Amino acid sequence: MTDPTLGAYPNSRMRRNRRSDAVRRLVAENKVSVDDFIWPLFVVDGTNVRLPVESMPGVDRLSVDLIVDAAKQAQDLGIPAIAIFPFTDPSKKTPDGSEALNPNNLVCSSVRAVKAAAPDMLTVCDVALDPYTTHGHDGLLDGDEILNDETVDVLVKQALVQAEAGCDTIAPSDMMDGRVGAIRAALDEHHLDHTRILAYAAKYASVFFNPFRDAVGSVKALQGDKRTYQMDPANTNEALREVAKDIHEGADMVMVKPGMPYLDIIRQVKNEFGVPTFAYHVSGEYSMIKSAGLHGWLDAEAAMMEAMVCFKRAGADGILTYAAKEIALKLNGAQ
């Protein structure tokens, strides 16, 4: 009986196209390029300061001057964008996260410095209050309740401050309802209509975020959890509704976060909407691979590259990953 999967070619040998590296590269359906990457960076107060993030091997918090150096390195490697996240001094944290609205805060200062030194480097700025609040939540807190509309009002102001500092891409990660539309309207009203919005459209309440929270200094401050506003990991259809809503409100690009445990969501989002879709290879995913590599349990370099290929196969147009620089070095060396 003829194998129906072979169609009109019953004598086809699939392994012929796997016999050498050259032919495997020739027929590869998905390829990773430096053009795919956004490199997340953590900024801290001071000058010439480099503080390792213990829970993220190989990742440091950098002062603004070193953020500029990193941006220049990224540009030289061909990485098109960096994302900037602050480690806010605890003395500047408040229940309402007012430091987020300071035009001279770490993020805004970094954006201005990067744009002065490397104007073609795209900058992505997180819009959420968790790095700035004493309670570690992404929004304003009233008892145990995260206030949605009141938080959106503050996020709009935060987005304007970042865009006025020169940020190219505003990235709301807070998961408040209606924030994308409110931010889009405010940007347009302030003649910032060229500023893009990359919406964290399907952001799940995941344990894989903890090393990131360590890096921005919110892990110890966090009161309770974020399940009342971030998505339930059990849900798929809800993610599609969230993405549809953000696109309708004016998002230019959308993101699924975390990445590898949610490859099915990336694929469904891409198939359903066809918009630029990003995967966030989050801190927990990164740290698991790096830590296993340090213990000799797997080849971390190969595992990291395999993860990137998986994102592309799932339909991601771009990837936020802390491994962007090391992968770019490898890709550039292979050319």
Side-chain angles (χ1 to χ4, degrees):
M1 182 176 177
T2 302
D3 185 342
T5 63
L6 298 178
Y9 304 99
N11 295 319
S12 184
R13 289 288 185 106
M14 300 296 289
R15 288 183 57 193
R16 291 192 187 105
N17 287 345
R18 304 171 190 155
R19 285 187 61 82
S20 70
D21 176 69
V23 73
R24 288 192 296 272
R25 287 188 287 116
L26 188 65
V27 302
E29 297 174 32
N30 297 283
K31 295 184 180 180
V32 176
S33 158
V34 292
D35 296 334
D36 297 322
F37 294 136
I38 298 174
W39 185 19
L41 299 170
F42 298 105
V43 60
V44 68
D45 279 318
T47 301
N48 196 30
V49 175
R50 183 183 298 272
L51 298 176
V53 180
E54 291 185 8
S55 56
M56 299 178 68
V59 174
D60 298 319
R61 305 180 189 96
L62 306 172
S63 52
V64 171
D65 54 317
L66 297 187
I67 290 284
V68 171
D69 289 345
K72 290 179 179 177
Q73 293 171 29
Q75 185 168 263
D76 290 344
L77 289 168
I79 297 171
I82 59 171
I84 303 171
F85 299 93
F87 178 85
T88 305
D89 188 304
S91 68
K92 297 179 181 178
K93 293 187 177 186
T94 57
D96 63 358
S98 59
E99 180 65 10
L101 309 184
N102 177 3
N104 295 311
N105 65 26
L106 286 170
V107 169
C108 294
S109 298
S110 296
V111 168
R112 283 192 295 270
V114 167
K115 284 300 181 183
D120 293 332
M121 173 55 61
L122 296 177
T123 54
V124 179
C125 292
D126 177 62
V127 175
L129 300 183
D130 52 322
Y132 305 99
T133 57
T134 49
H135 47 72
H137 279 286
D138 296 41
L140 302 179
L141 194 63
D142 182 11
D144 294 330
E145 178 74 17
I146 300 296
L147 303 175
N148 190 94
D149 295 354
E150 294 85 348
T151 295
V152 170
D153 291 341
V154 178
L155 298 176
V156 167
K157 295 174 184 177
Q158 182 184 15
L160 287 173
V161 165
Q162 293 173 347
E164 288 165 352
C167 179
D168 303 285
T169 306
I170 299 299
S173 68
D174 56 284
M175 290 300 287
M176 298 297 120
D177 289 329
R179 89 278 201 213
V180 171
I183 291 170
R184 181 73 271 161
L187 291 171
D188 292 349
E189 182 182 345
H190 286 77
H191 308 291
L192 295 164
D193 48 297
H194 293 305
T195 305
R196 286 170 294 278
I197 295 179
L198 167 58
Y200 287 62
K203 181 178 180 181
Y204 285 84
S206 172
V207 298
F208 288 97
F209 299 156
N210 269 25
F212 172 91
R213 292 172 183 163
D214 175 30
V216 298
S218 68
V219 66
K220 294 180 180 178
L222 181 60
Q223 301 172 14
D225 56 51
K226 303 188 178 187
R227 289 181 292 177
T228 65
Y229 51 101
Q230 294 179 357
M231 284 186 54
D232 186 341
N235 291 355
T236 298
N237 292 333
E238 182 185 5
L240 299 180
R241 294 198 298 272
E242 286 278 12
V243 172
K245 189 171 183 292
D246 284 356
I247 294 171
H248 178 74
E249 291 182 15
D252 302 286
M253 302 173 279
V254 298
M255 185 194 302
V256 175
K257 181 181 181 183
M260 289 200 70
Y262 298 87
L263 293 176
D264 60 316
I265 306 299
I266 296 169
R267 170 46 63 193
Q268 291 199 47
V269 167
K270 189 63 179 177
N271 286 350
E272 181 77 16
F273 302 104
V275 299
T277 302
F278 286 76
Y280 201 141
H281 186 229
V282 300
S283 56
E285 300 170 60
Y286 168 88
S287 293
M288 286 192 301
I289 292 174
K290 296 295 283 189
S291 297
L294 290 172
H295 282 85
W297 296 334
L298 52 70
D299 182 335
E301 184 179 275
M304 205 69 77
M305 182 60 75
E306 185 175 333
M308 300 303 113
V309 172
C310 291
F311 290 131
K312 296 296 290 184
R313 191 192 67 238
D317 298 290
I319 306 159
L320 286 82
T321 177
Y322 303 96
K325 178 183 174 182
E326 63 186 80
I327 296 174
L329 285 167
K330 178 178 175 62
L331 291 173
N332 286 335
Q335 292 174 353

